[in-house]
Amino acid sequence: MSRMIFVNLPVQDLGASVAFFTSLGFAFDEQFTDENATCMVVSEQACVMLLVRPFFASLTFKDVADSSTTEVLLAVSAQSRDEVDIVVDRALALGGAMAGEPSDEAYIYGRSFYDLDGHGWEVMWMDAAAVA
């Protein structure tokens, strides 16, 4: 059975986050967007819900982590090595921060960044022919 996944992330400024991720090439589903949240479409099976911190906090009994801790790293695929560089360089130019050195293994290339709220993202390309 195939399932969709919705990752929920707290953000300080919803408008700034939407502008940041739109500039990185992501689209948003307006049907699931209001002043508290928006649905960033990663693929047909994966979405990231960007939720303003007070709304996010209302969905859990635990404290909401701040950007000084890491609970999850989000990884998205790229079509090529060049696309990895384009996306990460753009994220850095838009105010993101570098989150480590590039990874350049035999058939996998990846780079990472922190978004405006300190969430860790990795953009990776894998040579599928080399894996087969």
Side-chain angles (χ1 to χ4, degrees):
M1 175 178 163
S2 179
R3 297 179 188 261
M4 291 185 70
I5 185 168
F6 293 85
V7 175
N8 296 279
L9 294 177
V11 299
Q12 290 292 341
D13 183 331
L14 189 60
S17 292
V18 168
F20 179 84
F21 286 107
T22 298
S23 293
L24 296 182
F26 290 96
F28 291 84
D29 187 337
E30 294 300 318
Q31 182 178 359
F32 300 104
T33 298
D34 61 20
E35 66 279 356
N36 289 312
T38 190
C39 178
M40 183 172 80
V41 179
V42 177
S43 72
E44 290 182 17
Q45 297 295 99
C47 296
V48 176
M49 298 298 298
L50 303 176
L51 311 172
V52 295
R53 287 185 72 83
F55 182 65
F56 184 95
S58 74
L59 303 175
T60 181
F61 293 119
K62 294 183 177 184
D63 292 335
V64 177
D66 61 28
S67 63
S68 68
T69 61
T70 300
E71 183 174 19
V72 66
L73 296 172
L74 304 150
V76 295
S77 62
Q79 297 291 332
S80 67
R81 293 174 65 96
D82 287 340
E83 186 183 18
V84 170
D85 290 333
I86 289 167
V87 171
V88 174
D89 288 344
R90 182 82 176 132
L92 298 176
L94 291 166
M98 195 166 87
E101 295 300 320
S103 172
D104 196 357
E105 303 301 322
Y107 52 85
I108 298 174
Y109 176 66
R111 290 178 60 198
S112 56
F113 66 91
Y114 294 114
D115 67 18
L116 301 178
D117 291 282
H119 304 296
W121 292 83
E122 181 179 27
V123 183
M124 59 166 280
W125 168 78
M126 182 172 24
D127 182 355
V131 175

